[in-house]
Amino acid sequence: MALQAASLVPAAFSIPKEGRSGVSLRDSSLLGISFPDHLKIDFSSSTLRSKRGFKQRVGAVRAQTIATTTPAVNRAAPEGKKTLRKGSVIVTGASSGLGLATAKALAETGKWHVIMACRDFLKAERAAKSAGIAKENYNIMHLDLASLDSVRQFVDNFRRSGRPLDVLVCNAAVYYPTAKEPTFTAEGFEQSVGTNHLGHFLLSRLLLDDLNKSDYPSRRLIIVGSITGNTNTLAGNVPPKANLGDLRGLAGGLNGLNSSSMIDGADFDGAKAYKDSKVCNMLTMQEFHRRYHEETGITFASLYPGCIATTGLFREHIPLFRTLFPPFQKYITKGYVSEDEAGERLAQVVSDPSLTKSGVYWSWNRASASFENQLSQEASDTQKARKVWEISEKLVGLA
Ligand code: LMG
Ligand code: NDP
Ligand code: PMR
């Protein structure tokens, strides 16, 4: 089978070029790292760092990204102030998996107060308790991303709480790989794109103002992406592949009535809808960067945290898949990462003082060192990013 052959011959397999980046099945590409031939690998600079303490600098892998360094507008901590106040970070979907592990990692540093933005209050409370997150380091606020009213209500409630907003992490997601028919959000958008993309789109557009008001030295907006939305990787080539097409379904409102429930206008496919939603997440991050980074100094970032094969994301998958997927990722693709480790990675993107570069899609290599990864052609298409932004604005009532 292709996969086994691949793991036996890791050195030089590559499948057809897609734009400027091919799918390279080298050793590292199994982790989602594709190294097209023209890519410079520079081990003398300092972007890679070890997972522990974000301190140990190892070397750097440079990829082509749209990133720029944080400009001077990024306010420094007030003169003479020795101890920085606690950071205030909102994490959506912090009731399980990556979101919970990130909340835990941040809370444990003692430097962050985590606002867990969750649709199920009791579940979130139980999760925080069993993860051992200290009371003074978190609070839970209700947010259902599958309802735009709920998103607006959340923003109002957050503002009323009087807390500053220093970092926003758009992490929550749903995945319906076995669904035969689409389901819909409160406003009638197909559930996966409606929740993962449109809910977060409205949330982050509204909260941009709040981030901009913060006096914290490094303000960040992070949207979790994924390898499976990137067709320049092996994982992104497992069918069904992400493809936004000409956005006709999105423009029609994804309602399955007078428009398709899929962004590209095709028949419903739950696995594809999830991957498409991740492409939207990664495009949105870059569009934010282009529109607002220079003006505000806010860092916009996305990431692929690794394959966290044990999370609730796969709850709708068939039991056989849920049994085989973790060992498959652990022993065959070697792309597996534990929830704790993935939480440490996302926590780095939230708070590591050296990860302030904006416009970056972060990934980690086998030594768990971060590097700037390259997005697929579609996930870095500036025209598409602009169109997705403009259509999404209309759908969520911002334009
Ligand atoms: C779809 O199927 C469903 O249709 C959809 O409903 C949804 O659920 C979606 O993403 C979710 O999945 C996906 C299906 C498509 O993949 C499978 O699940 C097939 C599993 C086959 C298992 C074979 C594993 C062999 C290794 C043994 C490991 C044991 C543990 C198994 C655990 C499995 C858990 C997943 O998949 C296919 O169509 C099959 C082909 C997929 C290959 C995709 C690779 C594309 C890139 C090409 C690389 C070729 C490499 C060749 C190397 C040659 C070297 C000389
Ligand atoms: P989980 O299912 O464990 O976590 C998803 C979280 O999102 C849960 O807290 C869930 O809440 C929440 N959520 C779902 N729908 C809504 C909604 N309508 N409103 C508010 N919150 C909601 O999955 P993961 O931890 O794996 O996923 C987290 C992120 O990581 C996602 O963005 C995913 O795409 C990404 N990712 C995951 C990978 C993996 O291998 N697992 C790989 C790459 C990226 P509840 O607990 O109530 O269900
Ligand atoms: Mg995939 C070669 C490396 C690799 C990696 C890093 C992932 C990550 N996957 C890889 C390869 C393969 N997967 C191969 C060769 C196959 C065919 C056997 C395969 C299959 C597969 C399925 C059926 N993989 C999956 C599924 C899912 O249902 C998951 C998915 O696509 O969700 C959208 C998934 C994933 N694989 C990953 C990751 C990270 C996922 C989780 C999805 C995500 O959050 O993006």
Side-chain angles (χ1 to χ4, degrees):
M1 157 72 213
L3 177 64
Q4 285 162 319
S7 59
L8 289 173
V9 207
F13 175 73
S14 98
I15 64 173
K17 292 259 175 197
E18 184 223 40
R20 47 194 171 77
S21 56
V23 177
S24 38
L25 188 58
R26 308 214 175 130
D27 197 18
S28 51
S29 75
L30 293 176
L31 285 164
I33 307 165
S34 62
F35 292 150
D37 292 340
H38 64 271
L39 215 61
K40 258 201 210 149
I41 299 178
D42 170 4
F43 289 99
S44 65
S45 96
S46 59
T47 328
L48 285 182
R49 55 197 54 79
S50 82
K51 62 180 174 182
R52 272 168 220 88
F54 325 138
K55 282 170 201 134
Q56 190 192 340
R57 301 205 162 182
V58 186
V61 178
R62 268 194 211 137
Q64 290 183 331
T65 66
I66 54 154
T68 60
T69 48
T70 306
V73 263
N74 202 349
R75 300 151 236 191
E79 285 283 332
K81 200 175 171 187
K82 293 231 168 72
T83 45
L84 195 61
R85 68 167 166 80
K86 252 189 178 183
S88 178
V89 53
I90 294 176
V91 180
T92 69
S95 53
S96 83
L98 178 61
L100 179 62
T102 305
K104 185 177 175 218
L106 289 169
E108 273 173 0
T109 63
K111 294 178 182 157
W112 291 91
H113 181 88
V114 185
I115 296 107
M116 300 170 66
C118 299
R119 62 176 167 179
D120 182 337
F121 193 93
L122 279 177
K123 180 178 176 185
E125 188 58 53
R126 275 196 289 268
K129 281 218 172 88
S130 68
I133 306 179
K135 259 206 204 92
E136 65 275 17
N137 291 336
Y138 77 94
N139 68 296
I140 298 165
M141 290 183 65
H142 184 261
L143 167 65
D144 181 358
L145 288 158
S147 154
L148 298 181
D149 280 348
S150 172
V151 172
R152 290 184 179 278
Q153 189 69 54
F154 171 84
V155 171
D156 283 351
N157 290 343
F158 174 74
R159 286 178 181 158
R160 265 197 284 272
S161 78
R163 281 188 195 281
L165 179 62
D166 306 319
V167 179
L168 169 62
V169 181
C170 297
N171 161 78
V174 288
Y175 175 40
Y176 300 111
T178 56
K180 299 276 175 274
E181 297 293 333
T183 52
F184 299 92
T185 65
E187 285 76 20
F189 308 127
E190 185 281 318
Q191 195 83 237
S192 341
V193 175
T195 304
N196 307 356
H197 167 57
L198 292 170
H200 278 134
F201 182 80
L202 179 61
L203 180 72
S204 46
R205 284 289 302 273
L206 295 176
L207 289 175
L208 187 68
D209 254 359
D210 303 69
L211 281 171
N212 205 20
K213 283 182 193 138
S214 153
D215 63 349
Y216 205 70
S218 177
R219 294 147 306 127
R220 307 184 191 186
L221 196 169
I222 300 156
I223 310 179
V224 179
S226 183
I227 191 173
T228 55
N230 279 296
T231 49
N232 58 337
T233 63
L234 174 63
N237 277 280
V238 174
K241 292 207 256 179
N243 177 9
L244 307 188
D246 64 3
L247 306 175
R248 67 179 67 182
L250 186 67
L254 299 177
N255 57 35
L257 292 170
N258 51 10
S259 93
S260 162
S261 60
M262 299 295 290
I263 292 179
D264 64 357
D267 288 343
F268 176 70
D269 181 326
K272 181 174 181 297
Y274 170 89
K275 294 174 190 178
D276 289 350
S277 78
K278 290 285 119 183
V279 175
C280 291
N281 286 154
M282 295 179 280
L283 288 173
T284 301
M285 175 281 284
Q286 295 165 87
E287 192 63 19
F288 261 117
H289 169 76
R290 282 188 285 268
R291 287 175 186 243
Y292 294 108
H293 175 62
E294 244 181 75
E295 177 192 326
T296 65
I298 295 169
T299 296
F300 300 97
S302 187
L303 69 150
Y304 167 58
C307 186
I308 330 161
T310 52
T311 72
L313 194 68
F314 310 104
R315 66 187 99 180
E316 306 283 339
H317 229 309
I318 56 168
L320 183 65
F321 176 88
R322 279 186 276 127
T323 309
L324 292 177
F325 193 54
F328 170 69
Q329 293 293 345
K330 237 180 228 169
Y331 303 113
I332 298 174
T333 72
K334 305 219 182 341
Y336 174 86
V337 65
S338 70
E339 295 185 19
D340 282 350
E341 178 63 25
E344 293 289 341
R345 290 176 178 184
L346 180 44
Q348 283 177 35
V349 183
V350 170
S351 75
D352 189 325
S354 59
L355 298 192
T356 53
K357 194 163 168 181
S358 183
V360 176
Y361 167 63
W362 296 103
S363 296
W364 285 260
N365 68 12
R366 284 216 183 134
S368 223
S370 60
F371 69 97
E372 294 167 29
N373 207 348
Q374 190 174 37
L375 293 156
S376 70
Q377 189 177 41
E378 181 170 54
S380 51
D381 181 332
T382 54
Q383 294 302 316
K384 226 170 231 191
R386 187 173 51 77
K387 282 190 197 141
V388 166
W389 179 280
E390 286 168 359
I391 297 170
S392 302
E393 268 185 332
K394 290 198 183 110
L395 294 179
V396 303
L398 287 174

